Amino acid sequence: MVEHEKSGLLVAPRSIPELKAAIERLIDDPALYRRLCAGARQRGQFFRSGRHFDRLAEELRGLACK
């Protein structure tokens, strides 16, 4: 769902140093932060429309009814 450097920053699971570095990048680079925010909004629109949303909603309903 997240595209590295487009809609967010991906880090290795449980990697505190990588998470710290990613947070520091966002703090130090407001343009990067704004670009990633815009990318995340666009990416969210993709998943809120059409068959992706319908499929996700159906799966969530199935989980809720179990």
Side-chain angles (χ1 to χ4, degrees), residues 26-49:
L26 294 172
I27 291 169
D28 294 339
D29 190 346
L32 172 65
Y33 174 79
R34 287 190 299 275
R35 183 171 54 85
L36 293 177
C37 286
R41 280 190 296 276
Q42 288 176 343
R43 191 74 174 147
Q45 283 296 96
F46 174 78
F47 285 100
R48 280 191 293 273
S49 62

Side-chain angles (χ1 to χ4, degrees), residues 1-65:
M1 294 186 110
V2 174
E3 295 175 296
H4 185 61
E5 299 283 339
K6 292 181 181 179
S7 60
L9 298 175
L10 297 175
V11 298
R14 296 178 176 39
S15 176
I16 293 172
E18 284 187 36
L19 180 58
K20 179 180 183 277
I23 292 169
E24 288 172 345
R25 276 186 71 196
L26 294 172
I27 291 169
D28 294 339
D29 190 346
L32 172 65
Y33 174 79
R34 287 190 299 275
R35 183 171 54 85
L36 293 177
C37 286
R41 280 190 296 276
Q42 288 176 343
R43 191 74 174 147
Q45 283 296 96
F46 174 78
F47 285 100
R48 280 191 293 273
S49 62
R51 61 186 170 91
H52 301 285
F53 179 80
D54 294 340
R55 186 179 331 153
L56 178 61
E58 183 178 322
E59 287 188 32
L60 290 173
R61 277 189 217 99
L63 290 173
C65 294

